[in-house]
């Protein structure tokens, strides 16, 4: 009798253990087997072109990740704020921001819903490369595959400007290796001045990199040449929500003073995000006006002399694609009073280049 009781008790305990085991491993009640969690995750980063002389690579910006973990069926890699899913255990990735930069890499190995994670960092050198340019070497009209135009008065383009923008050869042409945008005092379509505003909208835009122009500025009170970037989403996110990066602005009433500014929500109009510098002889000599733009900073230069650093962040509009604008305005809120003796002036551009 005692043996029967003991056997019954043991049998009951076995059933209870089996029931609890099934419940803990398969709470949904199906027969899916338990997936063991991945272990021993390793991440090996090979920098392409790495040598003793070039420890950060050959400038291509490419790295090869070799991922390995026991029981892993797939991997997820967070690299340069991009999420990549990998099943082969290998990933080749190309960084594009020029210079030597440090990047964090986070890797998770998965087996079903179970995973293990690790992270590492890598320093990579990316050589500066031109990703878009116009050298203006062919005489005639600007290349329509690269440039479009805003035309008309635009009701003063939001600045009470005085010009009517046209595509006429009198106002815009390429001659002798230079783009020439000419503002003319003339009665035209109800305006007292004509000029040109050209842009790459719908043809080219970019996110992060370096944009530069080599230019000689026009002479005369009321002139207002500019080289700037505007958010590619302006049609759905109106200004200033789309963001604006002014690399070069100068006015003839205050010659040789170069303005670089940023416009964003709550910081439009008289934006506090602005600095000036001096470019001597800007109307008689060519200078290079540039901005280097990243997720962290936007840096402004004249002839590679840094004069303004703006602290970028995820809360600004400056983390999306922007297109390029060249224009020559007359008067307005910023251009000021036009010299009554003004007849015409030309904004000369040697090239526009955008780098990675």
């Amino acid at each position: 009798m005692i043996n029967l009781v003991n056997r019954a008790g043991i049998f009951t305990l076995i059933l209870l253990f089996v029931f609890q085991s099934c419940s803990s491993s398969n709470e949904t009640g199906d027969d899916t087997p338990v997936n063991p969690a991945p272990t021993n995750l390793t991440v090996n980063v090979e920098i392409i072109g790495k040598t003793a002389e070039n420890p950060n690579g050959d400038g291509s910006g490419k790295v090869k990740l070799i991922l390995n973990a026991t029981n892993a069926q797939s991997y997820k890699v967070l690299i340069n704020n991009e999420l990549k899913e990998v099943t082969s255990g290998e990933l080749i990735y190309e960084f594009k921001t020029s210079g030597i930069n440090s990047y964090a890499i986070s890797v998770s190995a998965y087996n079903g819903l179970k995973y293990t994670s690790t992270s590492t960092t890598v320093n990579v050198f990316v050589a500066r490369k031109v990703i878009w340019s116009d050298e203006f070497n062919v005489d005639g009209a600007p290349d329509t595959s690269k440039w479009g135009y805003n035309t008309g008065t635009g009701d003063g383009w939001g600045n009470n400007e005085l010009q009517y923008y046209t595509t006429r050869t009198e106002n815009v042409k390429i001659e002798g290796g230079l783009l020439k945008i000419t503002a003319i005092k003339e009665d035209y379509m109800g305006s007292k001045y004509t000029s040109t505003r050209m842009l790459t909208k719908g043809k080219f835009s970019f996110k992060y990199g370096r944009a530069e122009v080599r230019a000689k500025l026009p002479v005369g009170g009321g002139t207002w040449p500019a080289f700037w970037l505007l958010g590619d989403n302006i049609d759905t996110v109106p200004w200033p929500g789309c963001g604006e990066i002014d690399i070069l602005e100068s006015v003839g009433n205050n010659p040789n003073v170069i303005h670089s500014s940023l416009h964003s929500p709550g910081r439009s109009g008289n934006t506090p995000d602005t600095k000036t510098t001096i470019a001597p002889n800007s109307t008689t000599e060519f200078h290079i006006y540039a901005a280097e733009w990243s997720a962290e900073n936007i840096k402004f230069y004249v002839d590679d002399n840094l004069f303004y650093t703006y602290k970028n962040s995820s809360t600004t509009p400056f983390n999306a694609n922007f297109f390029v604008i060249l224009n020559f305005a007359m008067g307005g809120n910023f251009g000021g009073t036009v010299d009554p003796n003004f007849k015409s002036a030309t904004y000369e551009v040697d090239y526009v280049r955008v780098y990675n």
Side-chain angles (χ1 to χ4, degrees):
M1 187 69 175
I2 294 176
N3 288 338
L4 289 175
V5 171
N6 287 343
R7 288 178 183 176
I10 293 171
F11 183 70
T12 301
L13 290 173
I14 291 172
L15 286 177
L16 181 61
F17 173 77
V18 171
F19 175 76
Q20 289 177 335
S21 297
C22 289
S23 297
S24 62
S25 64
N26 185 17
E27 294 179 357
T28 61
D30 61 26
D31 296 326
T32 304
V34 176
N35 293 321
T39 57
N40 305 316
L41 173 59
T42 60
V43 179
N44 182 36
V45 183
E46 297 180 3
I47 303 174
I48 305 302
K50 178 178 179 178
T51 64
E53 294 76 21
N54 300 296
N56 300 305
D58 59 8
S60 68
K62 293 182 178 180
V63 296
K64 179 179 180 180
L65 275 59
I66 301 174
L67 317 173
N68 187 58
T70 305
N71 299 321
Q73 298 298 315
S74 63
Y75 303 87
K76 291 184 179 180
V77 181
L78 183 63
I79 182 169
N80 198 26
N81 295 319
E82 295 183 42
L83 184 63
K84 304 289 184 179
E85 296 193 16
V86 182
T87 56
S88 65
E90 291 187 1
L91 172 66
I92 294 178
Y93 185 85
E94 181 179 355
F95 295 97
K96 295 185 177 180
T97 302
S98 61
I100 299 175
N101 296 287
S102 180
Y103 298 95
I105 302 173
S106 298
V107 179
S108 295
Y110 282 82
N111 189 8
L113 297 178
K114 296 186 177 180
Y115 65 92
T116 185
S117 302
T118 190
S119 61
T120 187
T121 58
V122 62
N123 294 326
V124 182
F125 168 58
V126 179
R128 182 178 290 169
K129 299 185 287 288
V130 174
I131 60 174
W132 184 93
S133 72
D134 199 335
E135 303 296 323
F136 304 115
N137 288 333
V138 179
D139 284 3
D143 186 344
T144 55
S145 71
K146 296 183 178 182
W147 299 99
Y149 299 89
N150 288 140
T151 57
T153 64
D155 293 325
W157 304 99
N159 302 298
N160 297 309
E161 298 166 28
L162 304 176
Q163 76 289 331
Y164 191 103
Y165 283 135
T166 86
T167 62
R168 304 179 307 162
T169 56
E170 293 93 332
N171 295 117
V172 60
K173 62 183 176 181
I174 298 171
E175 185 177 63
L178 298 174
L179 171 71
K180 297 181 178 181
I181 301 178
T182 301
I184 304 170
K185 183 178 181 179
E186 59 178 329
D187 290 327
Y188 187 89
M189 303 293 287
S191 295
K192 297 296 183 182
Y193 305 89
T194 59
S195 187
T196 291
R197 172 161 152 166
M198 48 198 295
L199 61 164
T200 67
K201 185 173 185 283
K203 301 174 186 290
F204 169 76
S205 65
F206 70 106
K207 174 184 173 182
Y208 306 145
R210 175 184 170 99
E212 68 178 35
V213 65
R214 185 173 185 266
K216 185 167 64 174
L217 306 186
V219 178
T223 59
W224 177 9
F227 170 61
W228 49 299
L229 310 177
L230 193 59
D232 206 30
N233 61 349
I234 188 171
D235 291 338
T236 55
V237 182
W239 189 90
C242 63
E244 176 180 328
I245 303 172
D246 298 323
I247 300 172
L248 157 68
E249 289 184 287
S250 187
V251 294
N253 285 315
N254 196 13
N256 301 324
V257 177
I258 307 304
H259 300 253
S260 292
S261 310
L262 302 105
H263 300 272
S264 58
R267 308 178 81 80
S268 58
N270 293 322
T271 175
D273 302 320
T274 184
K275 296 288 184 183
T276 63
T277 191
I278 301 298
N281 307 312
S282 64
T283 62
T284 58
E285 299 175 356
F286 283 88
H287 295 274
I288 297 173
Y289 306 92
E292 294 185 354
W293 168 31
S294 71
E296 291 76 34
N297 300 289
I298 305 175
K299 298 181 177 182
F300 297 88
Y301 301 82
V302 173
D303 296 329
D304 280 333
N305 295 310
L306 175 65
F307 71 95
Y308 178 33
T309 299
Y310 169 85
K311 183 66 176 176
N312 199 10
S313 73
S314 60
T315 64
T316 76
F318 308 119
N319 297 286
N321 278 36
F322 278 58
F323 59 86
V324 179
I325 303 177
L326 281 169
N327 74 287
F328 181 0
M330 289 297 298
N333 301 340
F334 195 63
T337 303
V338 179
D339 184 342
N341 297 314
F342 178 88
K343 288 183 173 53
S344 70
T346 300
Y347 178 21
E348 295 183 318
V349 177
D350 182 21
Y351 63 75
V352 175
R353 295 173 185 164
V354 177
Y355 302 82
N356 57 319

